[in-house]
Structures are given as structure tokens and as C-alpha cells.
Amino acid sequence: MGGAAAVLVVVVLCLALGGGAAGARPSEVSIGALYTYDSVIGRAARLATELAVEDVNADGTVLAGTTLKLISHDTNCSGFVGTIEALQLMEKSVIAVIGPQSSGIGHVISHVVNELHVPLLSFGATDPTLSASEYPYFLRSTISDYFQMQAVASIVDYYQWKEVTAVFVDDDYGRGGMSALSDALALQRARISYKAAIPPNSNVETINNVLFRANMMESRVFVVHVNPDTGMRIFSIANKLRMMDSGYVWIVTDWLAAVLDSSGAGDLRTMSYMQGLIFLRQHFPDSEAKKKFVSKWNNMARNRGIASGLNAYGFYAYDSVWIVAHAIDQFLDSGQQINFSADPRLHDSNGSALSFSTLKIFDGGEQLLQQVLLTNFTGLTGQVQFDSDHNLVHPAYDIHNIGSSGSHLVGYWSNYSGLSVTTPESLYEKPANTSINAQQLSNVVWPGDPASKPKGWVFPNNGQPLRVGVPNKASFHELVSRSAGPDNVTGYCIDIFNAAIKLLPYPVPCQFIMIGDGSKNPNYDDIINMVATNSLDAAVGDFAIVRNRTKIAEFTQPYIESGLVIVAPTKDANSSAWAFLKPFTLEMWCVTGALFIFVGIVVWILEHRTNEEFRGSPRRQVITIFWFSFSTMFFAHRQNTVSALGRFVLIIWLFVVLIINSSYTASLTSILTVQQLATGITGIDSLISSALPIGYQAGKFTKNYLIEELNVPESRLVPLSTIDEYADALNRGPKYGGVAAIVDEIPYIEIFLSYHCNFRIVGQEFTKEGWGFAFQRDSPLAADMSTAILQLSESGQLQRIHDEWFTRSSCSSDDSDTGATRLGLGSFWGLFLMCALICVFALVVFFARVCWQYYKYSGSEDAHEPSDDSAATTTGQDEVAEIQRRKPKRLGSFKELIQFVDKKENEVRRSMKRRPSEKDNQAMGSSDSQSVP
């Protein structure tokens, strides 16, 4: 038993020793760090990285038994030096690199780590173009500028600004940030109107020139995205250029927060010229670990004589070390070994001092990278976890505003909930809410200390007046024309434009440019295209706001309503002794007269048996039918109806008569008083269906509308330019080379009719649009001019300008008195049909009732006719003889049926009631005669 136990112990020890040898951890692991020692970011990040390595080595739960060694190199804020330092760092067999702080250096070094399979965690390279798809071994342990520019765009949209001027350093960091800002603003329907690029390492004179040119532009919203070490000079120069005064807006990215955090309190008090700035700072939730680290960092900085303070990049650098430490710990726990192999593509060149063969590929780089991507812990910056795009989850920013007493918090932005005054971490557990109600910020102090929000836009102060294109028309000079005044143009449209310009809160010098030679109208679409191609800044005149123009230009609020109408020649109606017959057509007269007689006959039939007024001699009854029929036209009939069917028919007929009388009166009045259309055109439908030529104003959109929308052949369209051409074409008519009608907008037609009264508007307005002023796309001036036009309308000045230019006495343009037509059967056949059907229905009911009475009456007469014997033995022979005389013995012929119908209703009813009593008397008499012996 003891020998077996000894063998078992030996086996267990061997297995233990073997397993331990296979999973043995290295005693030391080297990681690299790249930053610029003497920089705002570098000073904070270097000390934070060293403190993180100390904390990792002091923590027994991470990398137990393995010491983390940090090898730092100074990139000296140079892409070339940074590349050399990175290569030298790779020679020292590091398995991960912290840094660099510069996006430009990050682009270069990412190529190196991709080849050598070494994960690179940058705490300061925020350029969004450093993507995981191009650089798989690059990971950003800070927030990408992609999210920061979304925060900037949200602020711009919150204050309803539409254009910004971007001030940025012209390197990978600045250009990548501006690309992200442009995309983010586009989602908010805003844009970068001017890019003020500052070359790296620029002197004061260069920055002054860049800002001076930017100040000449219209936008007063400046977004500043530069390096922390040189960015502060921008504000001192801007202050000298008076760009920190009232009306300006400055939104600064997180580099300013790093500078302010690194500066002392005394420096902040001297920055009075920075009041009103809005800047972003990476958001970190408060925690005990964060407070302990800040205290530890400050103590160490004092001991080392570091004058600058801790900024956000120090927190990210600290967490980056812990990300690497956790990943290496999981990497070693999985049994992986740290091995390097030579890259056969790298070899020493003959005669070269560069030793490329010392660069080794980290064999476990892919596995370590996967462990880094699986990181999930709570660090000083909050939750540390990567998404599928290798970005940190829950990016968030604090929004600060600099006032007289320093900076103060005005809100937050997070990718989860947008703008809010609530901390982002308190919203992560709630449903995402990016509604308008959630988008809010606290009050902001603006530059110049105004309480109201700056407009964000002014007219550009570049010395160039606004180039305003004006059509030089051949006619309709009331709208716009050349003049000898200071503006060299005048007219209704010009007066409205000048009145609106005066209401703007900033001066706008204008230069009016006449387009066209004045002998014929210019093409209005060509003028709008000149605005779209920057040949003109604006177009002022009688420009209709139509679909194809709004695609290339920005229009103001319409200052006058307009729409297409038809104008046609008219002629006076000739007086005639038979004018009273014109309201109805011959067909209408015939059908109406026939219906009068028909209704009279129907009422006579229904009333004849019950109403004494409808009985008498045949001559009297015929006269009654005609008198009753036509007297209902004036509601003067004297005969009363007593039957239910007769009254029902009469009520319907009186309703029909009322409509006929009203229509006749209205039509006759119109015929006797109005003018008649000379061409028979009554509206757009009849104009299109005809083959007559149509006139239109040359240069206007009317031609395209008639062809494209109404499918009118171009061969039918005749261009006209002047009022005289309008009148001449209409007077000549289609037979003599003129036009049947002209299609144009209402303002032109009003002016035309004020000169020529023998024409009229026919039909209804068949389009709805308005006239507006055209500006270049996304021009803020269009919105401000729209507001000014609304002010003119509300104050009544818009109407006063209209009355001033349209005071000429004009002919009535109401089309209600034009083109009166005769009423035909088509307008009343439904009414007549209804009346006829009701009459037929009443007749059917009446004759059905008569037939039923006839059947009952005929049956009783046949069954109870007395025999000759009974008549001889019955008393009262005279009475029986009288009954036989009054009742026919057989009722089978049509003549007898007519005689029955002609009888009075009361007489028929008495006869039918008498038959049962006679039957009883006859039966009693028969039984008595049989009982006599």
C-alpha cells in the first residue's frame, strides 16, 4: 500500500511540474509609450501612464507574478521623429504601445504596428479617418472626433444656425475633424460656409491673415479645432480683430478644455477676451477612484516640479495602461506565449546603417488584439468597452461656457440621448430620448455679454455689394424697369425689395444689374441659373416660385400671390325683340312645355273622380287642364287638389317650377346685361380641347407649363412681349394670325386690362403660386428677407406699395359676368326625369286602385242581378227599375270601363255598399215565397 502511494505522489508531481512548465508566465512584459514630453497632453499623459504602471504592478489580481515594464519615447511633435522613435521602440520587443497623442503620427505608426502585429492604443489621436478597417491594430482609447463633431452640430442646430466658419489646423487631425463636422452639419441641414485652414506651426502673422479673411465672410459662428499648444493664440488675435465682440459665436472643441485644465487659476482670470466661448470637455462620471488618482497625480507633479495640471488625456492614458494589462493577463491565462519571429521582407541593406532585421513580428499579436477588444471594466473615464468599430461605448461631452467668473457647465451631450441638462450616465438606464423636448441647455453668456442669442450671420464685409440681377422687360414697366435714379431701376418689385432690405438688422449694399436689352423679355430661367452658378448673388423681379427653380435657388416668402388665368376678347350682346326666349334652348322650351301639359293631365286624372273643379263638360275640362298646368308657373292656380296622389304630384311639380323660374330669371338677366365671349372659350378645358392658338408672355414659365403639364402642342403657342402685342393678337383672332386667348399670371393681366377693356378673364385661376426673390442655395439672406417681407405684410406697407403701383383705373376682371350661355336640357334632364317618374308612379297607383274597384263592382253586379220572376213578385218595382237604369247589366267593354272611371268616387262607393243589403233582401224574399202553401 505504501509503495503504491509513493508512485502516485511521483506521478502527481510530474504532472504538476509539466503543467507548470507549459503555462509558465514571463517575469516581465514590456509595453511602449509614445507622446511628446513637452506638450499640454504629453505632460499629463506621461505621468498618468507611469502611475498606471505602478498601480498595475502593485495590484495582485492583475498580472500576478509578472511585472509590467514601460518604455517611453518622445515623438517631439514631429511625424518624422515620431516614426523613427516608433521603429526604435519596436526593436525592444514590446507587445503593445500606448499612444501616440497626435493623429498625424498615428497614421504613420499604424502602418508599422499593422506589419508587426502589435496593438496600438492611442489616448489622443482623435482623427476619425484612423479607422479599424484600414488599421486593424489601431485602437482609440479616447473619444473619436466623429462623436465630438456630432455634439458640435447638435449645438449649432439647437440655436438654429445654418452656417459656420471652420477654423482648423491644416493637418490630418484638423482635416479629419472638419470632414466629420461637415457630415454632421449636413444631417442638421446646416453647412460649413468657409474653411479657415491654419498651417501647422504658423506664426502670429499667418494666423492673423487667416482670421481676417474669415471675418470677411457672412457667418459669425466659428468652430475652432486646432492643437492645444498653439490654439490659444487664435483668441488673442481674434480679440485684436474685434472678433470677440457682440454678434460672434465661438464653439471650441475639447482641446481648449485640456489647455484650461492644465493652466493655473491665475491664468484664467487674465483671459477676459475669451468670455462667451462655448467649449467641449470629455465627460467622466465622478468616482472615488477618480478622486484618488487626481490627488495622487497632483502630489507626484509637485514632487517632480511639473507646473501644468491634469487634463482629460491623462485619464485616458491611465485607463489605456489598464486595458493593456487586463488583455495581457487574459492572454497569458489562456496559455499563450510571448514570442517574436523575423519578417523575411525586412533585411539589412548593404552599406546601410539602418538595421531593419531587428524588427520582429509579435506572433501572439492577433490573440492579444482580440483580448483588448473584449475589455470590459470600469475605469477612471467610466465604462471601458469597445464596440464593433473599435470605438469606446457611451461617448459623452460636457458643454461649458466661459463667463466673467470662469467657466460653468450648461449641459451635456451623449451619443445616446443628445443634448440634455441631465448627466448621461443617469440616462443610460432609460429609453433613448432624442426628442425636441430632451434637447435643452442652460443659459449661455455670449461674447460681448449680451443675454440674447447672436444671429450668427451678417452680410459679408468683403467690400463687394450684393450682385442683384433684374430682368430688363419690354413691357409691364409697372413691375420693374430701368430708371435714372440712384438704383438705376424702379418698379413695384424693386420697391418691395428695397423696403425689405431696410428692415434687415445689418446693412446690405446692392448693385442692380439689368439682364436683357429691353426690346424683348429675357429668359427668367436663365437668370435663376446665373444665381445658381454664382454669376449673381440674387435675382429681383417678377419671378414666379415654381418647382424647377426651387431646386437650384433659394426663394423668399412670396410677396404677392399669383396664378395663371385666361384672358379672351368679348363682344357686346345684341338687343333683340326675342331676347326673352334666349335663356332656354329650343329643346329645353319644347320639353318644358310638354312637361307642363303632361303634369296638368296627370293631376286632372288623379282629381277627376273626387274633385268637382275638375269635372264638367269636355270643353271645360280641357280648359281646366291647360289653365291649371301653366298657372302653376306663377303659383297662381285656383283649383285645389283633394286627393293624396294629386297633392303629392303637385308638391313635386311646384319644386320643379321653382327651379325653372329661378334659372330662367338668372339666365335672362345675364343675357341682357353681360358681354359675350367672341371665341367661345369658357375655361382652361375648352381652351385645351380646341385647336386655337394660345398666346403667352415670352421668357416666363408659362410656355413650359402649357407644354409639360397640359400637353399643349408647341405649335399652338405664340410668344408675346408687350401689352400692345397682347391687344393686337387678341383683336386679330385666330382667323387673321392672332390668338384665341392668352394665358398669363394675374398681375400681368390686371395691368393689361387696365389699358384694354374689351377683354375679360374667363374661367377660373388654374394654378397657385407667388412671386419671390431668388438667392443662392442655403443663403441665410433668403430667410432674413422672408422675415422682412412678413413684417411688411403685417404693417400694411406691402399693400400700400401695391396700391401705389396698381392705382390705374381698370376694367372689371370678374369673370362672373362674361360668357353667359343658354340653358339646355342637359342641365335639367335629371330634374325632369324625376318629376316624370313620380307622375307615372302616381298614375300606376291610381289605375291599380280603379281596377280593383272595377273588379269588386263588376262582380257584385253580376251576382246580384234580379230575375224577371222575382221582379214581378217583388214590391217596389219602380225602385228596381231605377237601379237597373243607373247600373249597366254587363261591364265588360272598354266603353263601359271608361264610363266606370268617369263616375264619381262617392257614387261608386255607395253603389258598392248597396249590393250587400240588396242581396240580403232578395234572399229573404225568396224564402218567404217558398213557404207559402
Side-chain angles (χ1 to χ4, degrees):
M1 187 64 131
V7 174
L8 181 60
V9 171
V10 172
V11 172
V12 172
L13 290 175
C14 290
L15 291 174
L17 291 174
R25 284 174 173 264
S27 59
E28 185 178 85
V29 176
S30 297
I31 63 172
L34 295 170
Y35 26 64
T36 300
Y37 290 170
D38 189 18
S39 66
V40 172
I41 297 177
R43 285 188 290 268
R46 182 182 182 186
L47 180 55
T49 304
E50 294 174 357
L51 293 177
V53 172
E54 291 180 6
D55 292 342
V56 169
N57 291 330
D59 193 329
T61 62
V62 180
L63 291 177
T66 300
T67 302
L68 191 64
K69 181 181 178 182
L70 179 66
I71 303 175
S72 300
H73 280 246
D74 185 6
T75 60
N76 199 24
C77 199
S78 169
F80 175 74
V81 175
T83 302
I84 300 300
E85 294 294 331
L87 294 175
Q88 293 177 354
L89 183 62
M90 294 303 166
E91 293 178 343
K92 300 177 182 178
S93 300
V94 295
I95 63 173
V97 178
I98 308 298
Q101 69 186 54
S102 169
S103 297
I105 300 175
H107 276 277
V108 178
I109 299 177
S110 293
H111 292 285
V112 177
V113 297
N114 279 353
E115 294 296 329
L116 302 182
H117 296 181
V118 177
L120 176 67
L121 277 78
S122 177
F123 56 86
T126 57
D127 179 10
T129 61
L130 283 166
S131 62
S133 59
E134 184 178 3
Y135 307 110
Y137 281 87
F138 172 84
L139 289 96
R140 187 181 290 105
S141 56
T142 185
I143 303 178
S144 170
D145 280 339
Y146 168 81
F147 300 105
Q148 180 170 213
M149 296 309 168
Q150 286 188 348
V152 173
S154 296
I155 297 173
V156 172
D157 180 65
Y158 176 78
Y159 291 108
Q160 299 179 349
W161 297 313
K162 294 302 179 183
E163 291 190 356
V164 303
T165 295
V167 181
F168 63 99
V169 60
D170 195 9
D171 60 6
D172 292 333
Y173 162 72
R175 290 189 295 268
M178 290 304 101
S179 177
L181 177 61
S182 179
D183 294 340
L185 288 174
L187 296 177
Q188 307 293 348
R189 300 183 62 83
R191 69 186 182 99
I192 299 175
S193 61
Y194 182 74
K195 293 182 178 181
I198 300 177
N201 303 320
S202 296
N203 54 28
V204 174
E205 182 179 359
T206 302
I207 298 175
N208 184 86
N209 293 335
V210 171
L211 293 181
F212 181 81
R213 289 193 297 270
N215 195 34
M216 293 295 177
M217 301 299 113
E218 62 269 19
S219 175
R220 286 295 179 262
V221 180
F222 293 88
V223 177
V224 184
H225 186 62
V226 295
N227 295 319
D229 297 282
T230 58
M232 295 302 294
R233 287 183 294 178
I234 291 177
F235 301 117
S236 60
I237 297 173
N239 186 55
K240 295 178 181 178
L241 295 175
R242 303 186 64 82
M243 297 174 65
M244 307 299 296
D245 294 344
S246 176
Y248 288 83
V249 178
W250 292 85
I251 303 175
V252 188
T253 54
D254 55 14
W255 66 266
L256 180 58
V259 174
L260 297 179
D261 292 341
S262 300
S263 302
D267 295 333
L268 290 177
R269 288 193 295 267
T270 62
M271 297 179 183
S272 58
Y273 55 83
M274 295 177 60
Q275 289 188 18
L277 267 65
I278 297 175
F279 67 92
L280 302 178
R281 173 185 283 123
Q282 298 93 333
H283 174 75
F284 304 142
D286 292 331
S287 63
E288 290 298 325
K290 177 183 174 182
K291 295 177 181 178
K292 292 180 180 178
F293 171 74
V294 172
S295 178
K296 186 176 181 180
W297 192 97
N298 290 332
N299 292 333
M300 187 64 70
R302 283 194 299 269
N303 294 335
R304 296 189 180 185
I306 300 176
S308 61
L310 177 63
N311 55 54
Y313 295 98
F315 294 100
Y316 284 117
Y318 182 89
D319 281 350
S320 299
V321 175
W322 277 95
I323 293 173
V324 173
H326 282 291
I328 295 175
D329 187 44
Q330 295 297 323
F331 174 81
L332 296 177
D333 284 346
S334 64
Q336 299 289 335
Q337 297 294 316
I338 298 177
N339 297 317
F340 294 88
S341 59
D343 189 344
R345 296 173 296 176
L346 297 176
H347 56 83
D348 296 337
S349 302
N350 295 330
S352 174
L354 298 176
S355 180
F356 292 106
S357 61
T358 58
L359 300 177
K360 305 294 184 180
I361 297 176
F362 177 33
D363 296 335
E366 177 65 26
Q367 291 75 16
L368 181 60
L369 176 64
Q370 296 304 318
Q371 294 298 332
V372 172
L373 294 175
L374 294 176
T375 299
N376 188 0
F377 69 94
T378 302
L380 300 182
T381 59
Q383 183 180 2
V384 180
Q385 185 180 0
F386 294 97
D387 60 16
S388 58
D389 294 327
H390 297 190
N391 290 314
L392 290 176
V393 298
H394 300 323
Y397 287 91
D398 298 338
I399 302 174
H400 289 263
N401 176 225
I402 298 180
S404 58
S405 58
S407 66
H408 61 281
L409 185 68
V410 296
Y412 305 90
W413 180 92
S414 72
N415 191 45
Y416 182 77
S417 57
L419 296 176
S420 69
V421 292
T422 307
T423 57
E425 56 270 14
S426 64
L427 300 175
Y428 292 148
E429 301 300 328
K430 301 178 182 179
N433 184 6
T434 57
S435 63
I436 297 178
N437 294 331
Q439 308 289 309
Q440 53 184 332
L441 297 174
S442 301
N443 294 332
V444 172
V445 176
W446 304 104
D449 201 24
S452 60
K453 177 194 69 137
K455 192 176 189 64
W457 186 90
V458 296
F459 189 77
N461 187 23
N462 53 14
Q464 299 295 328
L466 194 72
R467 300 166 299 172
V468 181
V470 179
N472 191 7
K473 299 174 66 66
S475 187
F476 299 104
H477 294 154
E478 292 87 348
L479 301 174
V480 58
S481 64
R482 187 185 297 274
S483 72
D487 293 336
N488 76 304
V489 289
T490 186
Y492 167 69
C493 303
I494 303 301
D495 283 0
I496 292 180
F497 179 78
N498 290 333
I501 285 290
K502 293 178 181 178
L503 293 179
L504 298 181
Y506 43 85
V508 181
C510 298
Q511 176 187 0
F512 293 101
I513 302 173
M514 300 297 291
I515 308 297
D517 56 9
S519 61
K520 61 179 181 179
N521 293 341
N523 189 294
Y524 280 44
D525 289 337
D526 292 342
I527 300 178
I528 300 300
N529 286 327
M530 294 175 67
V531 176
T533 57
N534 200 28
S535 298
L536 295 172
D537 297 317
V540 173
D542 46 339
F543 291 94
I545 305 174
V546 293
R547 180 180 57 188
N548 62 323
R549 296 174 182 173
T550 57
K551 295 179 180 179
I552 60 176
E554 195 82 20
F555 280 85
T556 63
Q557 170 83 13
Y559 58 85
I560 186 175
E561 293 184 357
S562 182
L564 292 178
V565 293
I566 301 172
V567 63
T570 60
K571 60 181 180 180
D572 293 333
N574 295 326
S575 299
S576 172
W578 304 100
F580 68 92
L581 295 177
K582 290 185 178 180
F584 290 161
T585 61
L586 178 61
E587 183 184 31
M588 179 68 178
W589 279 117
C590 294
V591 173
T592 302
L595 192 61
F596 268 93
I597 297 174
F598 175 69
V599 171
I601 294 173
V602 170
V603 174
W604 176 83
I605 292 174
L606 298 176
E607 294 290 321
H608 178 69
R609 303 183 71 199
T610 59
N611 195 338
E612 289 293 339
E613 295 183 2
F614 288 86
R615 298 186 68 84
S617 63
R619 178 175 176 275
R620 178 188 175 189
Q621 294 184 50
V622 171
I623 295 175
T624 300
I625 290 174
F626 281 91
W627 168 255
F628 178 83
S629 299
F630 291 99
S631 63
T632 55
M633 180 182 297
F634 311 101
F635 305 99
H637 51 283
R638 294 179 298 178
Q639 292 79 5
N640 295 322
T641 54
V642 296
S643 66
L645 290 175
R647 291 176 176 177
F648 176 64
V649 170
L650 182 61
I651 289 175
I652 300 301
W653 175 242
L654 291 179
F655 174 73
V656 174
V657 169
L658 175 64
I659 296 177
I660 294 175
N661 285 342
S662 301
S663 303
Y664 176 85
T665 303
S667 181
L668 180 62
T669 303
S670 177
I671 289 175
L672 295 178
T673 59
V674 307
Q675 294 175 317
Q676 299 295 304
L677 295 174
T679 59
I681 300 298
T682 59
I684 185 63
D685 293 333
S686 61
L687 180 62
I688 295 175
S689 60
S690 70
L692 300 175
I694 305 172
Y696 70 94
Q697 186 177 169
K700 298 290 290 183
F701 78 99
T702 311
K703 176 182 178 181
N704 293 336
Y705 181 84
L706 293 173
I707 295 175
E708 298 174 3
E709 301 297 334
L710 302 182
N711 298 319
V712 177
E714 187 175 358
S715 59
R716 292 179 56 189
L717 302 181
V718 180
L720 305 169
S721 296
T722 66
I723 293 177
D724 293 337
E725 290 181 4
Y726 276 35
D728 180 65
L730 289 173
N731 286 326
R732 285 188 288 120
K735 293 183 179 180
Y736 302 99
V739 297
I742 293 176
V743 176
D744 207 345
E745 296 174 83
I746 290 179
Y748 302 115
I749 299 304
E750 289 181 352
I751 296 175
F752 170 68
L753 294 180
S754 67
Y755 291 93
H756 301 276
C757 296
N758 56 329
F759 307 103
R760 284 291 181 272
I761 294 175
V762 298
Q764 301 294 325
E765 180 182 0
F766 56 93
T767 64
K768 288 290 185 181
E769 70 265 349
W771 291 355
F773 306 129
F775 295 88
Q776 296 180 5
R777 291 287 294 174
D778 300 322
S779 173
L781 190 58
D784 291 346
M785 286 292 287
S786 295
T787 303
I789 291 173
L790 291 176
Q791 291 178 350
L792 291 175
S793 177
E794 293 171 357
S795 64
Q797 188 175 355
L798 200 64
Q799 184 63 40
R800 287 193 293 271
I801 296 176
H802 178 275
D803 296 339
E804 180 181 349
W805 287 96
F806 291 87
T807 53
R808 179 185 177 89
S809 60
S810 61
C811 309
S812 174
S813 61
D814 186 7
D815 63 337
S816 63
D817 60 349
T818 306
T821 58
R822 303 177 69 185
L823 299 176
L825 186 60
S827 302
F828 297 91
W829 72 267
L831 186 66
F832 289 171
L833 179 61
M834 178 190 70
C835 181
L837 291 177
I838 291 174
C839 291
V840 172
F841 172 76
L843 290 176
V844 170
V845 173
F846 172 79
F847 282 111
R849 183 171 177 273
V850 168
C851 290
W852 176 80
Q853 289 180 343
Y854 174 75
Y855 171 77
K856 299 291 289 183
Y857 185 88
S858 177
S860 62
E861 186 70 18
D862 292 341
H864 307 299
E865 182 179 358
S867 62
D868 295 340
D869 296 338
S870 61
T873 59
T874 305
T875 60
Q877 294 181 355
D878 294 339
E879 182 179 356
V880 174
E882 177 64 20
I883 295 175
Q884 291 176 353
R885 185 184 65 79
R886 294 173 58 187
K887 290 292 182 182
K889 295 182 179 180
R890 298 187 58 85
L891 300 175
S893 65
F894 178 76
K895 180 179 180 181
E896 293 170 348
L897 177 62
I898 295 301
Q899 292 176 356
F900 175 79
V901 173
D902 188 55
K903 292 182 179 295
K904 294 183 179 181
E905 181 76 14
N906 294 335
E907 181 181 344
V908 173
R909 290 180 179 178
R910 287 196 302 268
S911 298
M912 293 178 63
K913 291 181 180 180
R914 189 179 295 116
R915 296 282 78 75
S917 61
E918 292 178 354
K919 176 181 178 181
D920 295 340
N921 294 335
Q922 291 176 5
M924 184 179 297
S926 177
S927 61
D928 291 342
S929 62
Q930 292 177 1
S931 63
V932 174

